[in-house]
Amino acid sequence: MSVKVFIDSTGDLTKELRTKYDIDYFPMTVSIDDRQIVASLDYDQGLTIKDFYDVMRNGKRVFTSQVPNPVFEEGFERVLSQGNDILYIACSGKLSASVRAAEVIAKKFRAKYPNRRIEVIDALISGFGQGEMAIRASTLLREGKTLDEVVAWIEENKLKFNQFGVVETLKYLKQAGRVSASSAFFGNLFAVKPIIISTRNGENLAAYKVKGQKAAWKEAARLTVEAAEDIENKTVYVSHADNLEGAEYLKDEILKLAKPKEVVVADLGPIIGASVGPGTVISYVFGKEVTI
C-alpha cells in the first residue's frame, strides 16, 4: 500500500517535478467562446502557452471551472481499486469549489472502500505554494512518515507558504472580481502595480502597491527574501504568464539579495493565468507564517 499525492490545475507543478515526486493532478477546465478545454499544466490540450495568453491579449474572456465530478470519481476509483490511499492538496476553497466537491465525492468512495483513506486538504493557497506543499508531502512519505503525520505537518505549516505576485494590468483581476472597477482604472492610469499575496483565510489580496513594473518586481523580490527563513536552504519558485523576461528579472533581483538553495522558474498554469492575466510574475517561498 502507498499514498498517491494529488494537486489540481492550480498547483502549477511542471511535468518534471510531478514525475520526480510522483504527484498527479485533477484537471480543471477553461472555456474560450464555446470551446471547453482541459486546463493542462503542460499546455498540451490544443493551446500552447503563447496561444493561451494571446487569446486574452486579443480581448477574449477566458472562464474557468472547478474540477469536474467525473474527474474526481475516475481518479479516486483508479487509485483506491489498486489498494492505495489518496492525499489531495486542493486549491484554496476561497478561490475554487473543487475542495468542497472532492469532499462530497470522497464520502461515497470511503463507504465503497472502507479500508482505504482519502484525505482532502484545503491548501489556503494556489500556484507553487500549493505545489510545494505537495512536494513536501511526497518527500515526507518517502522518508517513512505515515499519512496521519503528513496531514498533521501540512495543517500545522500550510500558512508558511508565501506568495508575492505582480500583475501587468489590473484588467483581469477586475474581471475576476478581485479589485473594483475604479481601483483598476486608477491603478492602470497611474502605473500602480499591486503585489498580490495569499492571506491566512486563503483569499488573494493586493497587500502592497508599487508604482512601476520593475519597482514592483524589486519589491516582490525583497518581500520574498524577507518572508523566507534560512533562505540558503530554501527553494524559491517563480512562475510567469508568458513573461519569461519578467520572471528572470525577479529571479535576478532575489539573487542580488540572497542565495537560495535553488530558484525554479516555470510557466503559470491556465487557471491562475486566466484570473491574473498575461505578463504576471509570481514568487513563492516557504518561510514565515502569513499574518495578514
Side-chain angles (χ1 to χ4, degrees), residues 4 49 240 247 278:
K4 186 66 177 179
I49 183 169
H240 66 94

Side-chain angles (χ1 to χ4, degrees), residues 5-24:
V5 179
F6 282 86
I7 51 173
D8 49 46
S9 292
T10 66
D12 281 357
L13 293 182
T14 64
K15 182 179 289 186
E16 179 184 2
L17 288 171
R18 298 196 312 270
T19 300
K20 180 178 179 180
Y21 293 98
D22 191 25
I23 295 168
D24 203 346

Side-chain angles (χ1 to χ4, degrees), residues 170-243:
L170 289 165
K171 170 185 174 181
Y172 304 102
L173 285 167
K174 179 179 77 68
Q175 287 180 346
R178 301 302 179 192
V179 294
S180 68
S182 59
S183 294
F185 174 77
F186 286 109
N188 288 330
L189 181 64
F190 296 111
V192 171
K193 303 297 182 182
I195 297 178
I196 313 297
I197 70 161
S198 183
T199 66
R200 290 181 63 87
N201 67 350
E203 294 177 316
N204 282 330
L205 174 70
Y208 310 93
K209 296 177 182 178
V210 182
K211 190 171 183 180
Q213 185 75 79
K214 289 187 176 180
W217 288 334
K218 288 177 185 288
E219 180 64 6
R222 187 192 69 78
L223 290 166
T224 301
V225 172
E226 184 180 86
E229 296 177 315
D230 67 325
I231 193 169
E232 63 277 1
N233 295 314
K234 299 287 178 59
T235 297
V236 176
Y237 297 88
V238 178
S239 57
H240 66 94
D242 195 25
N243 188 2

Side-chain angles (χ1 to χ4, degrees), residues 53 86 104 135 180 249 254 265:
Y53 289 109
I86 294 171
V104 171
I135 287 174
S180 68
Y249 188 96
I254 290 169
V265 176

Side-chain angles (χ1 to χ4, degrees), residues 66-69 72-73 76 88 96-107 120:
Q66 68 183 62
V67 177
N69 287 358
F72 280 131
E73 291 169 350
F76 287 176
Y88 169 38
S96 172
S98 296
V99 64
R100 294 185 289 278
E103 264 298 352
V104 171
I105 296 168
K107 289 181 181 179
V120 179

Side-chain angles (χ1 to χ4, degrees), residues 98-142:
S98 296
V99 64
R100 294 185 289 278
E103 264 298 352
V104 171
I105 296 168
K107 289 181 181 179
K108 179 175 70 173
F109 279 89
R110 289 181 185 123
K112 183 176 180 179
Y113 293 95
N115 296 322
R116 297 276 64 83
R117 297 272 303 278
I118 306 174
E119 294 293 337
V120 179
I121 294 178
D122 185 340
L124 296 178
I125 195 170
S126 60
F128 267 104
Q130 176 190 357
E132 188 185 6
M133 211 176 291
I135 287 174
R136 287 179 175 256
S138 176
T139 301
L140 289 171
L141 289 166
R142 290 180 177 186

